[in-house]
Amino acid sequence: MRDRAAQNLNRVQIQDVPELLPGSAKMALPLRRTLVALQRATCNSLKSGEGWADVRQPLPLVVPVRGKKRYFIPPAVELKERTNRVNPEARAQAAGLVYRQQYMERAINISCTAGIFDPYVPPEGDARHSTLSKEGLKQRTEQLRQSAASQLAIRKIKEHDPLFNTRTFPELAQDIFIQAHMALTQFNKEKLHSLVTERCYPEMTRGNRYKTIRWRFVESLEPPKVVHARCPDMVSKTNLYGQVTLRMHSRQTLALYDRFGRLLLGSEEVPKDVLEYLVIERHVVNPYGRWRLHGKIVPAWAPPKDPILKTVLIPGPTLKSGEEFDTLNYEVPKPQSVQWSK
Amino acid sequence: MATASAGRGVSFLRNIATHRVFLAGVHTSAPLEVNKNWERRNLKLFPPQLPDEPRRPAEVHHCRRQIKYSKDKMWYLAKMIRGLSIDQAITQLEFNDKKGAKIVKEVLLEAQEMAVRNHNVEYKSNLYIAESHSGKGKYLKRIRYHGKGMFGIMDKVYCHYFVKLVEGSPPRVEPRSGLDQAQDYLLSLRSRTVRHSL
C-alpha cells in the first residue's frame, strides 16, 4: 500500500515538474533529467516510512543544474580515485601514535607423545597353531618379568599413580578400546578425544567423515595381558609419559560403507578373530591425565587384510622407448613385510 | 531501511544509497553473498544400503564460479553435453571452437578426478552427465560512452557452470516422433475439465 502511494506520488510529481518552476515551461533536457532523478530519490526515501518532513526542508546535497553531469559513476571509477590516498598506517605514524610490538605467541599443551617409543616386537607365531615350540611360545608370552626395562617403567608409573596394577589394568584398557570404537561409529568427537590421544585421533578418523562405520565387539577369546611398558620423557627429564602395550585376542565384526551407503569393506554378520597389540598412554605427571588409546602395533608376520571391493589402478613399470608392456608375465610388486605402528 | 544516525543529511544520503538511485558522489556496491549450495550437495551422507536393495549409483556435483563468459553462450555447450557419457562429452568439447568449451572440458576432467579419488567411483569412464547448466555470475559495471554526452552502462558478464556426474552408462532416451507428440497433445485436450461447473 505504501508502495502504491509512493508510485502515485512519483507519477504526479513527474508530471508537475514543469509547474514547479514558474516561467520555464520549456526546459533543457539535462535540467529535466536532474529534477526527475531528484524526484525519484525523494520518493524512494518515502517508501521507508521516514522523511515525509524531509521533502519540504532544504536538501543538503548539491543539485546539478549546469552542464552535462554524469549521475552514475560505476564503482570501478570511484575506486581509482581512492587508491591514491595515503594508507592509514603511515598517517598514524605521522600523527605520533605508537603501536606496541605484537607478540605472536600461543601456549601449547602437549598431552601425548608423537609415537611409540621402543615398540614391542611381538614374537612370531603368536596365537598360531605351531607344533614346534608351543611351550616356548607360552613361556615367552606369559613371562613379563623377563624385560627389566618394562619393570622399571611399571615402577615409575606406580610412583605417580599408586592405583595402577598389571592385573586390573587390562580390563580397563579393553573397556577404553571398546568405548573408543563405539564413539567412532557414532562419530562423537568429544568422547573420542577423551578416550584416544591426539596422535591416534587423526589416524582413526581420517577420511571417515563421509563414511558410515558399523563395528561390533562380539567377545574376547583370551583375557587381555600387559606385555610391554615404557616410560619415555619429553622435553625435560621429569615430564614422563607412560606407554603400556596390551595384547588382545578377540572377535569383532566390521563393515565400512561409503558416502552412498555401499559396502566398501567387511561384513556385518561374519565375525573375525583379531589379535591386536594396543598401546595405551597416559601423561603420568599430570594428576588429571587419563589412560587413552595411543596406537596399535602391526607385526611383520601379520596375515594380509581382505581385499576391498573395488578395482584400483596401480602405476606400471617405467618403460624405455621401444619396449612393450608384457601383461602376461608382469608380477605386481608386493609390499615389504615390516612391523609398523598405526 | 531507516537508519538512526545523527544528521538528517546523512540519513537522507544513506536512504538514497540503499535504494541505488543514480546520484553523483555516492559509491554503492552489490552485496557479497554467494551461494554454495551446489558444492554442499557433495557433503550429503546416505544411510547404508541393505543387501537386497539395488546399488545406489555414485553422484558427483562440481561447478566453476565466475567464468569470464556469457551465460547464454555457455548454455549452448551445457545443452550439448547433457546425457552424454563423460568420454564422449570430453571428445566433443575438445573439437569445439568456442571459448567456453575449453573451460567446460577442464571442469569435467576435474570432476572425473574428484569422483575417482574422493567419491569411490571404480571406473573413471563409467560416468555420464546427468545435469549440466549455466548460471549468471556477479557482473561488473562499466561506462560505455556514446555521442552527445549520452552513456550506457556496460556489463562485464560472468557466469557459473554446474555439472552433475552419475556413475553408470548413460540412460537411453527414446526419441519421440511427431506422431507421439501429436497423440500427447490430443490426450491433453481430451483430459481438460471445467471445475466448479454445474
Side-chain angles (χ1 to χ4, degrees), chain A residues 147-213:
Chain A
S147 88
S150 295
Q151 285 302 306
L152 187 69
I154 291 172
R155 221 179 301 147
K156 267 196 217 171
I157 293 167
K158 280 191 183 164
E159 261 175 44
H160 295 275
D161 179 17
L163 297 169
F164 181 79
N165 192 352
T166 24
R167 260 163 270 223
T168 56
F169 182 69
E171 285 295 316
L172 241 162
Q174 195 175 50
D175 202 34
I176 291 171
F177 173 80
I178 295 168
Q179 274 183 30
H181 282 70
M182 295 309 273
L184 183 64
T185 49
Q186 262 94 61
F187 209 71
N188 190 349
K189 272 195 256 190
E190 293 93 15
K191 198 168 168 207
L192 204 55
H193 269 296
S194 69
L195 292 163
V196 145
T197 59
E198 284 79 29
R199 181 228 175 222
C200 188
Y201 181 84
E203 280 176 11
M204 277 180 108
T205 55
R206 186 161 293 157
N208 292 343
R209 182 139 172 243
Y210 299 109
K211 290 193 175 82
T212 324
I213 304 171

Side-chain angles (χ1 to χ4, degrees), chain B residues 76-92:
Chain B
Y76 288 105
L77 294 160
K79 178 76 183 163
M80 182 177 83
I81 61 171
R82 259 174 224 173
L84 300 179
S85 70
I86 190 144
D87 288 335
Q88 254 193 327
I90 290 171
T91 341
Q92 289 294 325

Side-chain angles (χ1 to χ4, degrees), chain B residues 88-157:
Chain B
Q88 254 193 327
I90 290 171
T91 341
Q92 289 294 325
L93 290 168
E94 196 172 319
F95 296 103
N96 191 314
D97 295 327
K98 291 183 186 257
K99 171 178 154 180
K102 192 171 156 193
I103 298 163
V104 173
K105 192 178 128 191
E106 280 171 18
V107 174
L108 287 182
L109 287 169
E110 274 175 20
Q112 193 186 40
E113 186 59 41
M114 260 168 58
V116 170
R117 209 185 298 170
N118 304 340
H119 294 87
N120 190 34
V121 164
E122 212 169 330
Y123 305 106
K124 67 176 192 178
S125 301
N126 198 23
L127 293 161
Y128 72 92
I129 288 136
E131 287 172 25
S132 127
H133 57 276
S134 66
K136 173 187 170 291
K138 291 266 190 291
Y139 291 171
L140 294 176
K141 300 205 189 335
R142 300 282 178 270
I143 311 178
R144 199 208 183 274
Y145 300 97
H146 291 278
K148 294 197 180 178
M150 305 294 260
F151 64 94
I153 311 165
M154 188 159 57
D155 281 329
K156 295 288 180 188
V157 291

Side-chain angles (χ1 to χ4, degrees), chain A residues 289-308:
Chain A
R290 270 194 250 177
W291 287 103
R292 297 186 294 176
L293 186 63
H294 191 58
K296 272 192 212 178
I297 295 175
V298 180
W301 43 264
K305 287 200 233 184
D306 284 343
I308 48 170

Side-chain angles (χ1 to χ4, degrees), chain A residues 23-41:
Chain A
S24 60
K26 287 185 187 166
M27 290 197 311
L29 191 59
L31 191 63
R32 194 181 285 252
R33 258 206 317 237
T34 313
L35 287 164
V36 160
L38 246 178
Q39 297 302 342
R40 247 182 254 152

Side-chain angles (χ1 to χ4, degrees), chain A residues 214-231:
Chain A
R214 294 247 172 104
W215 180 86
R216 199 162 59 95
F217 188 87
V218 180
E219 57 167 355
S220 171
L221 297 167
E222 288 171 19
K225 239 177 291 179
V226 174
V227 289
H228 193 74
R230 285 286 180 274
C231 211

